[in-house]
């Protein structure tokens, strides 16, 4: 079946603009994660959903970052008033159940804030 | 919170030789340890994982070992091939909180 997909793949924003990044997880996957990957670094956790419930948002860097998954499937990560330090690749991952299982990653959205 | 350290940051080996990458973790409650391979501009892909109830797992040329007492785990790639060149990340998570804490990555280069 289809893997995790993300859109857009690339996004250029002017500082101060709002952006919305979309993640389509693998159908039926319960858990969904967002990670931020800076250039040359490992992915860093942002937030985690189990179905529609956001169980952990401890990794969100500021209140400018907001994520939702209203129907327990597609998720959107929104960044308000983007700053240059927000430039990174935003990765979405999903896993089949709520227990530790393989996380399947999407291709990421590369955000560049000018 | 969990802290995962990974060494070395870069590794070059001759084709056909073995490569070893090591990680340590800080949270003794961590019980799941995956390894991801990421090629330039691509998504991370799981290559092998291990849970805390086993000490070693092997899949063809790839193996992972886990020492719970010392809180470290290692990736072993034997008979390396040019297509093994990539960045490898270790990670850890624990029951009840699936989020992965990643190491800083190892850039592996296989020299033909």
């Amino acid at each position: 079946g289809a893997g995790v997909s993300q859109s857009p793949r690339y996004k250029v924003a002017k500082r101060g603009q709002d952006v919305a990044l979309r993640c389509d997880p693998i159908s039926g996957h319960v858990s969904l994660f967002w990670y931020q990957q800076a250039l040359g670094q490992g992915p860093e956790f942002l937030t985690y959903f189990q179905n529609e419930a956001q169980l952990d948002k401890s990794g969100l860097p500021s209140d400018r970052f907001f994520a939702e998954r209203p129907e327990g499937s597609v998720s959107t990560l929104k960044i308000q008033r983007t700053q240059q330090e927000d430039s990174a690749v935003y990765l979405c991952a999903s896993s089949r159940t709520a227990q530790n299982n393989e996380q399947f990653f999407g291709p990421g959205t590369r955000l560049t804030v000018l | 919170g969990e802290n995962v350290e990974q060494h070395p940051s870069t590794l070059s080996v001759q084709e056909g030789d073995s490569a070893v990458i090591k990680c340590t973790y800080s949270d003794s409650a961590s019980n799941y340890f995956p390894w991801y391979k990421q090629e330039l501009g691509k998504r991370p892909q799981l290559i092998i994982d291990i849970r805390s109830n086993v000490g070693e797992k092997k899949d063809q040329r790839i193996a992972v070992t886990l020492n719970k007492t010392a809180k470290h785990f290692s990736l072993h790639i034997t008979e390396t091939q040019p297509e093994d060149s990539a960045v490898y990340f270790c990670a850890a998570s624990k029951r009840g909180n699936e989020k992965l804490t990643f190491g800083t990555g190892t850039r592996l280069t296989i020299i033909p």
Side-chain angles (χ1 to χ4, degrees):
Chain A
V4 179
S5 60
Q6 293 184 245
S7 61
R9 292 292 315 280
Y10 304 90
K11 177 68 178 178
V12 178
K14 292 183 180 178
R15 189 171 55 184
Q17 282 186 330
D18 298 348
V19 298
L21 312 180
R22 177 187 169 109
C23 172
D24 285 80
I26 294 172
S27 178
H29 276 200
V30 167
S31 297
L32 185 146
F33 304 82
W34 285 97
Y35 295 89
Q36 180 189 61
Q37 187 173 26
L39 191 63
Q41 301 295 315
E44 291 196 355
F45 170 78
L46 294 176
T47 188
Y48 159 48
F49 290 86
Q50 190 177 117
N51 296 307
E52 68 278 3
Q54 189 174 20
L55 298 187
D56 187 345
K57 54 181 181 179
S58 63
L60 296 176
S62 76
D63 58 8
R64 296 186 296 104
F65 287 71
F66 172 77
E68 59 183 5
R69 193 186 186 199
E71 298 179 357
S73 178
V74 171
S75 177
T76 304
L77 176 67
K78 299 179 179 178
I79 309 173
Q80 297 177 324
R81 304 181 303 281
T82 52
Q83 304 294 314
Q84 284 189 323
E85 60 263 30
D86 300 335
S87 296
V89 174
Y90 290 85
L91 293 165
C92 174
S94 70
S95 69
R96 185 169 51 85
T97 71
Q99 299 169 2
N100 281 343
N101 271 299
E102 176 180 0
Q103 292 187 22
F104 295 85
F105 280 83
T109 295
R110 181 177 296 278
L111 173 65
T112 302
V113 181
L114 302 177
Chain B
E2 175 69 281
N3 181 48
V4 176
E5 295 190 355
Q6 182 172 347
H7 301 280
S9 57
T10 60
L11 179 61
S12 295
V13 301
Q14 293 286 339
E15 181 178 354
D17 287 351
S18 296
V20 180
I21 303 170
K22 299 182 179 182
C23 289
T24 60
Y25 61 99
S26 61
D27 190 342
S28 56
S30 289
N31 67 336
Y32 175 63
F33 307 93
W35 286 88
Y36 284 86
K37 175 184 180 182
Q38 187 174 33
E39 297 179 39
L40 190 62
K42 300 290 182 63
R43 72 188 75 194
Q45 292 197 307
L46 182 77
I47 55 171
I48 196 166
D49 57 11
I50 192 167
R51 299 182 188 276
S52 58
N53 57 345
V54 298
E56 184 173 358
K57 183 177 178 181
K58 190 174 182 181
D59 182 4
Q60 299 183 347
R61 297 186 297 108
I62 295 173
V64 57
T65 58
L66 171 65
N67 183 327
K68 285 190 296 182
T69 303
K71 290 191 281 190
H72 67 70
F73 56 113
S74 300
L75 177 71
H76 305 253
I77 306 175
T78 59
E79 301 171 20
T80 53
Q81 301 169 1
E83 54 265 35
D84 295 330
S85 294
V87 178
Y88 291 80
F89 292 99
C90 62
S93 69
K94 59 186 177 184
R95 192 185 309 279
N97 190 334
E98 284 189 291
K99 69 180 181 184
L100 293 174
T101 300
F102 284 84
T104 49
T106 297
R107 180 173 300 279
L108 175 63
T109 302
I110 307 303
I111 304 165

